[in-house]
Amino acid sequence: GESVGLHLPTLSVQEGDNSIINCAYSNSASDYFIWYKQESGKGPQFIIDIRSNMDKRQGQRVTVLLNKTVKHLSLQIAATQPGDSAVYFCAEKMNYGGSQGNLIFGKGTKLSVKP
Amino acid sequence: DVKVTQSSRYLVKRTGEKVFLECVQDMDHENMFWYRQDPGLGLRLIYFSYDVKMKEKGDIPEGYSVSREKKERFSLILESASTNQTSMYLCASSFGSVGQPQHFGDGTRLSIL
């Protein structure tokens, strides 16, 4: 909820600009990545995912880029709107036995959109 | 749309009480998860379940137990609530196949007095 955004890196953008949110993931064995959006008082909402055999995937106004060489994931939001204000965090799934669906979550970035 | 429903949005309990948090999903997902979310610590996995009557410990299972008697329902139990269990609790579910996202409920903010 409202306390989720405390102590997080913050990105402040002007309405209409593009936003880029970055995430460094931890394990080169990870094979699946997800971006979530969490608004105040709500649970995390799935935005977009990407598998490790891809380096780019596009959704509606969002693009995820994966750079496996440097273990970096980014979320690009086109024409950012006030409704995009939220905490965004990435999650990775490592590809080894016993972790069929378990994810490792990043701490998140707070996106603030100025009207 | 996937619907994950947590029974309470806010809950206040007293130290030593046994607390039940309920979660129901309507997408026939095999996997279900319980997390707690605290400022500065992010999401931490408490317990998860891959099938009915199956459970696995996550990263912080101490002080908690779970029950999965039906596929759609996953309960988190605080055996004897303590103040350090005051937190936001999030339930999630996903299909069992590889590369499927978890879908979350809106959370239960639990306060232990």
Side-chain angles (χ1 to χ4, degrees):
Chain A
E2 47 286 317
S3 64
V4 169
L6 294 178
H7 315 300
L8 292 176
T10 299
L11 175 66
S12 185
V13 300
Q14 203 69 39
E15 181 179 358
D17 287 351
N18 296 335
S19 303
I20 300 176
I21 301 169
N22 297 304
C23 178
Y25 63 92
S26 57
N27 199 304
S28 55
S30 294
D31 63 351
Y32 177 63
F33 305 86
I34 307 171
W35 278 101
Y36 286 95
K37 171 188 180 183
Q38 188 172 20
E39 297 174 272
S40 181
K42 294 187 176 181
Q45 177 187 0
F46 168 78
I47 302 173
I48 192 168
D49 58 2
I50 188 168
R51 289 175 172 73
S52 59
N53 61 353
M54 303 170 70
D55 52 22
K56 180 179 180 179
R57 190 169 187 216
Q58 288 184 287
Q60 188 177 14
R61 277 203 309 122
V62 295
T63 301
V64 55
L65 299 177
L66 175 63
N67 186 330
K68 294 183 285 295
T69 303
V70 294
K71 293 190 289 186
H72 185 267
L73 194 67
S74 69
L75 177 71
Q76 300 178 1
I77 304 174
T80 314
Q81 302 167 0
D84 295 327
S85 294
V87 173
Y88 291 80
F89 51 91
C90 63
E92 62 182 296
K93 186 186 79 65
M94 284 190 275
N95 181 23
Y96 55 76
S99 62
Q100 295 179 35
N102 294 9
L103 299 173
I104 299 171
F105 293 88
K107 297 288 192 295
T109 297
K110 185 175 182 179
L111 176 65
S112 178
V113 181
K114 295 176 288 186
Chain B
D1 278 354
V2 175
K3 187 70 173 176
V4 179
T5 304
Q6 295 185 231
S7 54
S8 306
R9 291 299 305 275
Y10 300 94
L11 207 53
V12 180
K13 296 291 182 181
R14 296 205 173 273
T15 303
E17 281 192 72
K18 191 168 185 176
V19 181
F20 293 85
L21 301 183
E22 306 287 348
C23 175
V24 176
Q25 50 93 5
D26 67 355
M27 283 300 293
D28 203 34
H29 285 165
E30 291 84 6
N31 301 337
M32 295 189 76
F33 307 83
W34 274 107
Y35 296 89
R36 61 178 285 175
Q37 185 176 36
D38 300 287
L41 298 177
L43 282 160
R44 292 182 291 167
L45 181 64
I46 304 171
Y47 265 98
F48 57 100
S49 168
Y50 292 141
D51 202 351
V52 176
K53 297 194 184 296
M54 292 184 66
K55 59 185 179 184
E56 300 270 354
K57 292 181 180 179
D59 300 319
I60 51 164
E62 296 78 19
Y64 303 93
S65 63
V66 289
S67 172
R68 190 147 181 223
E69 295 296 316
K70 294 184 178 182
K71 190 175 185 180
E72 67 270 18
R73 186 180 295 271
F74 193 34
S75 303
L76 180 69
I77 303 152
L78 285 66
E79 297 291 344
S80 177
S82 62
T83 55
N84 63 10
Q85 292 178 309
T86 291
S87 186
M88 169 70 85
Y89 288 88
L90 289 161
C91 174
S93 69
S94 72
F95 285 116
S97 50
V98 173
Q100 293 293 327
Q102 292 180 20
H103 297 273
F104 286 83
D106 277 338
T108 295
R109 185 164 291 284
L110 175 65
S111 296
I112 307 296
L113 306 178

